[in-house]
Amino acid sequence: MTVSELFPGVFKLTFGTPEPGTPATQRYVRPPRREALAELGTAPMPFAPEAIEFRTLPRGVRLTLPMSPGEDIYGLGLQLKSLRSTGKKRTLRVNSDPAVDTGDSHAPAPLYFSSSGYGVMLDTARYATFYCGGNEPFDAAAPEELPPESRRSKVLLTEEALYAAAREHLAPMVIDLPTARGITLYVFGGPTLLAAVRRYVLFCGGGCLPPEWGLGCFYRACGSSDQAQVAALAAELRAEHLPCDVLGLEPGWHSKAYSCSFRWHPERFPEPQKLLDELKELGFRVNLWEHAFVHPSSPLYRQLSSCAGDFKVWQGLVPDFTLPEAETCFADYHREQFTSRGVSSFKLDECDNSDFIASPWSFPECAQFPSGRDGEEMHSMFGALYMQTIERACREAGIRTYGSVRNAHLFAPPQPFVLYSDLYDHRDFIRGVTSMGFAGMLWTPELRHAESREDYLRRLQAMVLAPQMLLNIWSMPHPPWRQLQRERNVQNELYPPEVQAELADRTRESLELRMRFLPYLYAAFARYHFEGIPPFRAPAMDYPQEEALRGVDYAWLAGNDLLVVPFRAGMTELEFPLPPGNWYDFYTGKAHRGSVLLRPELTTLPILVRENATIPLAEPEEKVVANMRYRLTVKTFGPNPEPARLFADDGVSWAFESGQGAWGTVAPDGTLSPELQTRYCRG
Ligand code: GAL
């Protein structure tokens, strides 16, 4: 074993002979933010390196890491089925249909954080299994301690008690890493849980800072729309004054979509440049749906045929993006054809993996790629490699992008893409926002369709303070405020006209609320980039010492000062355990302490505000325009409000990476510090 401290509180431990081509060796890994890491100060290793047991066994590597009683484990990628991994077995299989709580995910990642204030990352693309404190090792050499007689003879009569009994003893973290003969671990010290997460994010290069328009609203048009229908939709959104920054086109824009030709459909989109220009004129950014499987009719097919894996997907070749020539070819094509012609963003679909239940659409784990990577390694890293390729096509055209993706892995924080899913359970979608922070990823609880008016309003609200406000209407010909869809593929019904009008108004209100928070959200993302603080966090990340908050997977902290508790259809009230201190109702200003009984109107997203916060709110715009000045008002909470911090740059270019842009303050009386005055004014 070798141990080194790379940065204060960031340790690298290597055991045996690690595999080649691991995530840490990929081009998508960015330089750590050294100065910000140094500012976090030192932190010791959370346990002695000798306390880690490493063994190479015929099936691969086994690692055993110490855990203490009462310790909770979070992370292991985006987990939609439960927030805490404590006592669970999680296998990190990439799966687009994670139906049960086994670790399967669109975006699993071998990275966990402990409530005791540290994090551990394994540099591997293997489907490792983590036994998170469930199994005690047996040591034949150690004398056996008999449990007390009373406990031994007790007969347990419920499943709960039976299985809880297995956890009465101190059990370590056991990690099973098939195939490998060695592994590199990175350990992130605390002392707090949030400090450990920040060290990880900063080690990865800091979180992404989306362009301001990326924090506006996204609307994805029906997949079968043609050019005229897209233009009509754009005109309708503007006529109805429904805020929208990004219009997304779904598969129908391709001449072949499964697999992709990456060429406009000649009949459906006869004049793509005209459409792109018209949408730009109306102030929309354009996002294109695609996946990376290349159809034989695509101009990319021939060029990529020597850089592809040995299985096809939907008749298309699968590029090996670990090869520089594959990345360059794909990125150049996208720059020439799309990003230099007015496309600003992409939705990178199908880059996760199929579980072969719905249909066997993806490549198998035993596929082989020219770089030497196999299908398992490729599935883990495919999204990260794909994001890197597409971001390059945007960057080289001068575009700071923000898009969508269905797979991510280690080193995700700087990648400006938000995860989404075809699943649709609202409880799971809300939980995703709480779990993504421990993965260094972003996730959207999108609105696709609704079973009722209540379901519609609740799903819409849940996105107001989330990474992306996304109306993903790819499967319906009409906007969702006109159309009820009980289930996918079930006959659609139109709402009565008065309901349509009312829902359009409610939709506008939620989208406008999002736009009011835009400067606040932008500052939260700037903190993610510069300081490593995830913009959206499970309450447990900031308050692991609060037992009542450890398992809260239905509410999150947004930025520094807001706590969001989204309601779902069927919920009428909820007693919510508050973090320490006074918390104020965002709408009424009423103070609460200890806990709060929430009974929100159907049209209200419950938001609580930290004591003494000043919340800047913008006059809602329908779209973000380059270098516009946001008109701000403030709301203050508590007896001694402190100034709010905002970040001001041009909001659209990469200049902030080379030091342009500045932090400034908004005083409780609304006075703006000089740094902010080019981008903000009093409303
Ligand atoms: C799915 C994707 C959906 C939508 C659809 C279009 O794979 O998750 O959001 O884009 O494809 O066919």
Side-chain angles (χ1 to χ4, degrees):
M1 174 187 47
T2 61
V3 186
S4 56
E5 186 168 4
L6 300 178
F7 300 98
V10 179
F11 305 89
K12 180 179 179 183
L13 291 79
T14 301
F15 300 87
T17 311
E19 291 185 281
T22 59
T25 66
Q26 301 301 324
R27 283 186 304 286
Y28 57 77
V29 176
R30 312 203 186 180
R33 294 193 67 81
R34 289 166 180 278
E35 280 149 38
L37 278 165
E39 272 169 33
L40 275 180
T42 57
M45 267 285 288
F47 32 72
E50 302 72 42
I52 303 174
E53 189 199 57
F54 164 79
R55 293 191 57 186
T56 44
L57 301 170
R59 68 177 267 112
V61 158
R62 190 175 86 196
L63 281 168
T64 312
L65 290 92
M67 272 178 66
S68 315
E71 196 172 334
D72 264 323
I73 300 296
Y74 300 93
L76 299 175
L78 174 78
Q79 292 292 337
L80 296 180
K81 293 292 172 187
S82 65
L83 174 65
R84 279 188 286 193
S85 298
T86 323
K88 292 187 175 160
K89 170 186 171 185
R90 293 223 194 269
T91 302
L92 304 187
R93 270 182 4 134
V94 183
N95 182 352
S96 65
D97 244 328
V100 279
D101 191 18
T102 52
D104 278 26
S105 166
H106 293 284
L111 164 76
Y112 65 87
F113 291 94
S114 158
S115 56
S116 299
Y118 68 88
V120 176
M121 171 177 113
L122 271 73
D123 180 26
T124 182
R126 294 270 159 230
Y127 291 178
T129 297
F130 290 70
Y131 298 82
C132 305
N135 299 78
E136 277 180 276
F138 171 69
D139 185 352
E144 190 185 348
E145 256 183 51
L146 285 179
E149 201 52 39
S150 61
R151 190 180 297 164
R152 280 180 74 202
S153 57
K154 201 167 157 199
V155 178
L156 301 171
L157 294 179
T158 66
E159 287 89 351
E160 213 183 348
L162 197 63
Y163 295 111
R167 292 202 46 227
E168 278 177 7
H169 303 279
L170 193 59
M173 169 70 80
V174 178
I175 305 170
D176 170 21
L177 186 61
T179 314
R181 311 309 293 164
I183 183 70
T184 299
L185 296 188
Y186 294 82
V187 178
F188 303 95
T192 63
L193 175 50
L194 179 59
V197 173
R198 292 178 65 186
R199 285 184 212 274
Y200 169 70
V201 172
L202 294 169
F203 178 69
C204 293
C208 74
L209 178 57
E212 285 170 358
W213 55 261
L215 296 180
C217 306
F218 284 60
Y219 187 108
R220 306 203 65 86
C222 181
S224 58
S225 303
D226 62 20
Q227 182 166 341
Q229 287 163 328
V230 172
L233 172 68
E236 178 182 342
L237 290 168
R238 289 294 180 246
E240 293 286 333
H241 302 292
L242 288 151
C244 182
D245 269 292
V246 185
L247 209 54
L249 305 189
E250 286 285 317
W253 76 266
H254 290 263
S255 57
K256 288 274 179 229
Y258 286 88
S259 46
C260 287
S261 63
F262 309 98
R263 292 169 97 163
W264 293 92
H265 192 282
E267 279 99 48
R268 275 195 295 269
F269 290 87
E271 295 174 291
Q273 193 60 54
K274 180 165 174 273
L275 178 68
L276 293 176
D277 294 343
E278 281 168 11
L279 293 177
K280 185 175 178 196
E281 192 62 30
L282 289 171
F284 290 100
R285 300 270 168 173
V286 175
N287 171 298
L288 294 182
W289 173 99
E290 60 167 57
H291 55 237
F293 311 126
V294 182
H295 189 264
S297 68
S298 170
L300 280 167
Y301 189 80
R302 196 173 278 278
Q303 298 173 52
L304 285 170
S305 56
S306 59
C307 305
D310 59 359
F311 279 86
K312 293 188 282 192
V313 178
W314 289 303
Q315 276 72 55
L317 66 76
V318 184
D320 183 345
F321 285 129
T322 68
L323 301 173
E325 55 273 35
E327 181 192 304
T328 301
C329 167
F330 207 88
D332 283 356
Y333 180 86
H334 278 71
R335 190 190 62 244
E336 285 156 18
Q337 297 298 318
F338 306 119
T339 54
S340 63
R341 298 182 186 204
V343 174
S344 305
S345 168
F346 292 85
K347 171 174 175 179
L348 310 182
D349 208 15
E350 321 287 13
C351 51
D352 38 21
N353 190 11
S354 118
D355 66 356
F356 284 62
I357 290 176
S359 72
W361 54 263
S362 199
F363 53 86
E365 270 75 16
C366 55
Q368 198 57 45
F369 286 79
S371 60
R373 306 282 66 75
D374 62 33
E376 177 186 351
E377 295 171 291
M378 202 53 108
H379 277 307
S380 295
M381 300 193 291
F382 204 74
L385 292 161
Y386 193 10
M387 287 189 269
Q388 143 83 16
T389 306
I390 290 297
E391 199 196 339
R392 174 171 159 187
C394 295
R395 213 178 243 268
E396 288 178 356
I399 294 162
R400 185 169 141 201
T401 190
Y402 196 53
S404 304
V405 73
R406 246 187 31 199
N407 169 251
H409 198 242
L410 299 176
F411 300 101
Q415 300 199 289
F417 290 83
V418 182
L419 291 156
Y420 64 96
S421 176
D422 275 346
L423 305 174
Y424 204 46
D425 182 277
H426 201 201
R427 181 79 182 80
D428 290 354
F429 268 34
I430 285 171
R431 184 181 295 113
V433 181
T434 67
S435 96
M436 70 183 193
F438 290 112
M441 298 175 187
L442 300 169
W443 155 262
T444 176
E446 68 176 43
L447 171 78
R448 201 149 68 227
H449 52 77
E451 288 185 26
S452 62
R453 175 174 173 273
E454 184 186 7
D455 187 36
Y456 181 85
L457 295 176
R458 292 305 190 200
R459 286 182 182 272
L460 196 61
Q461 289 159 17
M463 293 185 289
V464 165
L465 286 161
Q468 194 176 53
M469 184 111 198
L470 170 64
L471 275 60
N472 186 12
I473 316 305
W474 68 272
S475 66
M476 302 202 300
H478 301 287
W481 49 89
R482 294 228 203 104
Q483 184 170 20
L484 174 74
Q485 193 189 43
R486 291 183 202 283
E487 268 172 43
R488 226 169 132 182
N489 306 328
V490 170
Q491 182 99 49
N492 304 324
E493 293 167 34
L494 288 183
Y495 288 113
E498 63 284 3
V499 177
Q500 292 187 26
E502 193 251 354
L503 281 184
D505 289 346
R506 297 287 91 82
T507 307
R508 187 178 309 101
E509 280 164 22
S510 281
L511 300 177
E512 285 182 350
L513 187 56
R514 167 77 176 194
M515 298 309 275
R516 287 174 72 75
F517 281 120
L518 207 139
Y520 177 87
L521 288 174
Y522 194 66
F525 272 95
R527 280 208 173 86
Y528 192 31
H529 178 72
F530 293 111
E531 298 166 22
I533 302 172
F536 307 96
R537 306 178 301 286
M541 194 186 287
D542 291 39
Y543 303 101
Q545 70 283 7
E546 298 295 315
E547 199 55 46
L549 295 175
R550 282 242 188 134
V552 169
D553 59 355
Y554 52 88
W556 58 82
L557 294 156
N560 240 26
D561 298 315
L562 301 178
L563 178 58
V564 193
V565 193
F567 268 46
R568 287 169 281 121
M571 282 171 74
T572 48
E573 61 172 47
L574 176 74
E575 176 92 25
F576 185 78
L578 288 169
N582 285 332
W583 289 81
Y584 294 75
D585 183 297
F586 173 75
Y587 307 94
T588 65
K590 187 165 179 239
H592 300 275
R593 200 182 180 86
S595 72
V596 53
L597 181 64
L598 298 166
R599 282 197 187 119
E601 302 278 323
L602 202 49
T603 50
T604 304
L605 166 72
I607 305 173
L608 294 145
V609 189
R610 192 189 299 278
E611 180 152 53
N612 295 332
T614 295
I615 306 294
L617 294 165
E619 212 33 60
E621 304 284 344
E622 279 175 44
K623 54 188 187 289
V624 172
V625 178
N627 287 317
M628 66 191 235
R629 282 177 94 197
Y630 294 90
R631 284 166 296 148
L632 295 183
T633 49
V634 294
K635 269 185 128 178
T636 60
F637 300 85
N640 301 306
E642 290 151 13
R645 282 173 80 211
L646 289 182
F647 184 70
D649 67 336
D650 62 19
V652 77
S653 83
W654 297 101
F656 73 94
E657 286 189 344
S658 42
Q660 288 185 34
W663 287 98
T665 55
V666 188
D669 68 358
T671 308
L672 299 166
S673 68
E675 302 85 352
L676 299 185
Q677 288 179 8
T678 51
R679 299 302 320 283
Y680 302 97
C681 60
R682 294 180 76 145

